[in-house]
Amino acid sequence: MATQIPRIQRVFGAVNIGSFRISAMVMGQTEDGRMIVLASSHRKSEGIKRGYVTDMAAATHAIRTAVEKAEADANSSVSGVWIACAGAGLTSKISSVEIAIGGRRIDEDDIEHLLYAARDHIQPDGRMILHAQPAHYTLDGAHGVADPTGLHAETLGVDIHVTLAEGAPVRNLIEAVQNAHLEVEGVVASPLATAYACLTAEERELGVALIEIGAQITNVSVHAGGMLLGLRSVPVGSNDITDAVASSLGIRRSQAERLKCVSGSALASPTDHRELIPVNGPGEPEDGRLARGADEQNRIPRAELVGIVTEQLGIMTGEIAKALKGLGFSGAASGQVVITGGGAELHGIVEFMQGALGLPVRIGKVSALQGMPEAHATPGFSTLAGLCLYAADDPVDIRSIGARYQPTRRYSGLGLVNRVMQAVKDYF
């Protein structure tokens, strides 16, 4: 008996515009809420460097090509897509807004007024607001209230998670997509999208650090209490390892990338000095050039490659540790670290990071999704899948709250406090 194909109620399109690859996905949501990957594709990135558009025409062409491939495989077209923002100077802060209730029972009108008031007190400081989302409510200063409706309190507050980015780079990303004849449904900060794909609800509640190692940029974010508390962007990535291999051995970048992916490791082995690995790939023509330190067959000791990889990884991990410390996530009691992104696919990276950071580390990749190609069920495609999951969840943004409820009571004590570090201390 043939398996019945579930009926798709909604379709979401997503594009992740990275420095190494540009990937696209078409995901459907069934009538019962299940998410099914209809198709995904990727191609080499063009016109993008460290998350910024550097060549508009090249970036647009790469985006269009990736989306057309996904549409063809899905047998479904999309008019608009969700895109991720990984660079553009991403920053995040937690702001608190509080109003006086006077001890009475809280109703929906109070919450509506609170969120509407909060909207007018966000301070972007000349930057673009990507997200302004209510995370947790507070009653008389006590945190962690999911729904205050029907409860009594003297004061009602809300923690607003605000994500900011530099305006011009984001507008360039949007324009590159629009030039590919696609509408931009929304721009999502990469750590938020990736969290949807990689982190469990329990991790996001108890406290977790998410490290996305991209080709040219690494985003470090801290999540707790169900929200993103802060993030830092570090201008290093897996391409820096590739470049170091190419420079140290005097070989082409394509050869260095293959060596890193096929034979590279973050862990040294006693046999590395005896194992010789070919610099030339299968079927690659000999050009008479030998790598630095290679034998006459253009082979190098694996120990040479591992040494270069671990040296660069040490530099990267040092920058990540600084970012975590700056976000208040350090020390043995901090919690779980989840690493994802294409750079997380390096052999032995979990053990290396655990030793360097002194914290438990695991690989983050997309949870089981029906229809997800095996080749894309990897850390490098976490953000792409997360974009679709984020779109389906459609979290509330306080900027979308209209003025249909005018104040019918006199509220007092409205204040806005930026308390990023305080929030981190509260949770860690």
Side-chain angles (χ1 to χ4, degrees), residues 165-395:
E166 297 166 9
V170 175
R171 285 189 287 272
N172 285 334
L173 282 175
I174 292 172
E175 186 174 332
V177 174
Q178 290 174 335
N179 288 348
H181 310 297
L182 294 161
E183 292 298 321
V184 175
E185 301 287 353
V187 181
V188 184
S190 182
L192 272 180
T194 309
Y196 268 77
C198 292
L199 303 183
T200 66
E202 185 174 347
E203 284 175 333
R204 295 178 70 185
E205 187 63 36
L206 296 178
V208 63
L210 179 63
I211 300 170
E212 307 163 78
I213 307 173
Q216 297 181 341
I217 193 165
T218 295
N219 281 317
V220 180
S221 58
V222 172
H223 307 249
M227 60 182 168
L228 194 157
L229 294 181
L231 63 89
R232 300 277 174 91
S233 289
V234 181
V236 294
S238 59
N239 275 9
D240 294 293
I241 298 175
T242 303
D243 292 344
V245 172
S247 175
S248 298
L249 299 179
I251 59 178
R252 293 192 298 275
R253 203 177 180 286
S254 58
Q255 293 174 317
E257 179 69 21
R258 189 191 65 81
L259 280 176
K260 180 189 74 175
C261 296
V262 175
S263 303
S265 176
L267 297 176
S269 164
T271 62
D272 287 344
H273 288 280
R274 298 193 301 272
E275 183 181 350
L276 296 176
I277 54 177
V279 172
N280 294 329
E284 185 177 339
E286 301 282 348
D287 58 6
R289 295 169 54 191
L290 297 178
R292 198 169 290 123
D295 63 10
E296 65 279 359
Q297 293 176 269
N298 205 17
R299 299 177 302 176
I300 61 167
R302 189 166 184 266
E304 185 76 17
L305 174 64
V306 172
I308 299 168
V309 169
T310 52
E311 181 181 1
Q312 288 300 310
L313 200 55
I315 295 170
M316 182 191 299
T317 306
E319 293 300 314
I320 290 169
K322 288 179 190 175
L324 288 172
K325 186 176 181 181
L327 292 169
F329 194 95
S330 60
S334 294
Q336 179 78 52
V337 174
V338 177
I339 56 174
T340 189
E345 297 172 18
L346 178 68
H347 178 265
I349 194 169
V350 167
E351 294 83 355
F352 185 98
M353 288 263 185
Q354 282 184 164
L357 298 175
L359 295 168
V361 177
R362 74 168 178 84
I363 293 288
K365 56 184 180 180
V366 187
S367 302
L369 274 174
Q370 185 178 339
M372 189 74 169
E374 186 177 347
H376 291 176
T378 62
F381 291 86
S382 297
T383 303
L384 180 65
L387 280 169
C388 292
L389 298 175
Y390 179 96
D393 187 50
D394 192 22

